[in-house]
Amino acid sequence: MPRKPRIWYPGASYHIMCRGNQKHDIFKDNEDRNVYLKFLRAAKKDYNFFLHTYCLMTNHVHLHIETKDINISAIMKRVNMLYAQFFNNKYSYVGHLFQDRFKAELIEKDEYHLEVSRYIHMNPVRANITELPIDYSWSSYRTYMGIRQDPLVDTEKTLGYFSGSKVEGYREFVEES
């Protein structure tokens, strides 16, 4: 039976999850993570989308992507295909790197936009990798906190939900969970 096509329209926003096949690691070192981010940057340049948040864990990835005029499937196909080729070549692996196709939850409400952002940034804390999300260097949280500049990440929409000190408001929202 063919699988159902994903809902997509220009401006659609998604919480994307990509997990390693059989929950195996998809990142073995920092070079791997940097290469994945490089492919994501290239796709963003060519496909012109917003990346609101991301977190690269050991065996999975979380992305919050808002499309403009390119279907999310084309974006993720490119990023994951290039990364799988890199990974399999580097480690002399054969076969699927990712378990199934990527998962994509459509985000249609402002509240869910914020919840997904918090969920993604708190992932390393919930996994007991770090005590605070700011201590994890493979997420976009440091960009939100103004510690790192990263043109890959679009913070304006998310921070725009907060008044006053937007960064402090966002920090409190994320870390109080």
Side-chain angles (χ1 to χ4, degrees), residues 98-147:
F98 294 102
Q99 176 180 307
D100 301 322
R101 66 179 180 162
F102 66 95
K103 296 192 181 352
E105 294 178 3
L106 189 60
I107 300 169
E108 295 187 292
K109 296 184 178 189
D110 293 340
E111 297 83 15
Y112 193 43
H113 175 101
L114 287 172
E115 284 302 319
V116 165
S117 180
R118 174 170 39 198
Y119 178 85
I120 289 172
H121 284 147
M122 289 299 290
N123 212 256
V125 174
R126 282 190 305 281
N128 294 315
I129 295 171
T130 64
E131 200 169 305
L132 295 170
I134 204 161
D135 296 332
Y136 192 70
S137 58
W138 296 106
S139 86
S140 54
Y141 193 67
R142 289 181 177 185
T143 304
Y144 274 83
M145 294 298 101
I147 293 171

Side-chain angles (χ1 to χ4, degrees), residues 29 55 60 64 76 96 120 125 128-129 140-141 143 172-173:
D29 60 24
C55 187
H60 67 284
H64 180 177
M76 293 311 302
H96 297 283
I120 289 172
V125 174
N128 294 315
I129 295 171
S140 54
Y141 193 67
T143 304
E172 288 175 7
F173 171 76

Side-chain angles (χ1 to χ4, degrees), residues 20-121:
N21 199 15
Q22 299 180 352
K23 298 184 180 181
H24 289 249
D25 290 352
I26 57 173
F27 303 112
K28 293 184 178 256
D29 60 24
N30 289 344
E31 179 193 24
D32 296 348
R33 291 176 180 88
N34 281 319
V35 167
Y36 189 88
L37 292 174
K38 178 182 90 171
F39 290 141
L40 202 53
R41 279 185 191 93
K44 184 177 179 192
K45 181 180 176 195
D46 292 344
Y47 293 147
N48 194 25
F49 57 84
F50 297 106
L51 177 65
H52 295 292
T53 53
Y54 73 84
C55 187
L56 309 182
M57 301 295 282
T58 305
N59 70 349
H60 67 284
V61 173
H62 290 277
L63 306 170
H64 180 177
I65 294 177
E66 182 178 342
T67 64
K68 290 186 181 178
D69 54 3
I70 300 291
N71 190 313
I72 190 64
S73 294
I75 296 166
M76 293 311 302
K77 178 182 178 182
R78 176 175 173 183
V79 172
N80 285 352
M81 180 188 68
L82 290 172
Y83 183 72
Q85 289 172 344
F86 160 80
F87 187 92
N88 286 351
N89 185 51
K90 179 178 177 180
Y91 296 106
S92 300
Y93 284 5
V94 175
H96 297 283
L97 176 62
F98 294 102
Q99 176 180 307
D100 301 322
R101 66 179 180 162
F102 66 95
K103 296 192 181 352
E105 294 178 3
L106 189 60
I107 300 169
E108 295 187 292
K109 296 184 178 189
D110 293 340
E111 297 83 15
Y112 193 43
H113 175 101
L114 287 172
E115 284 302 319
V116 165
S117 180
R118 174 170 39 198
Y119 178 85
I120 289 172
H121 284 147

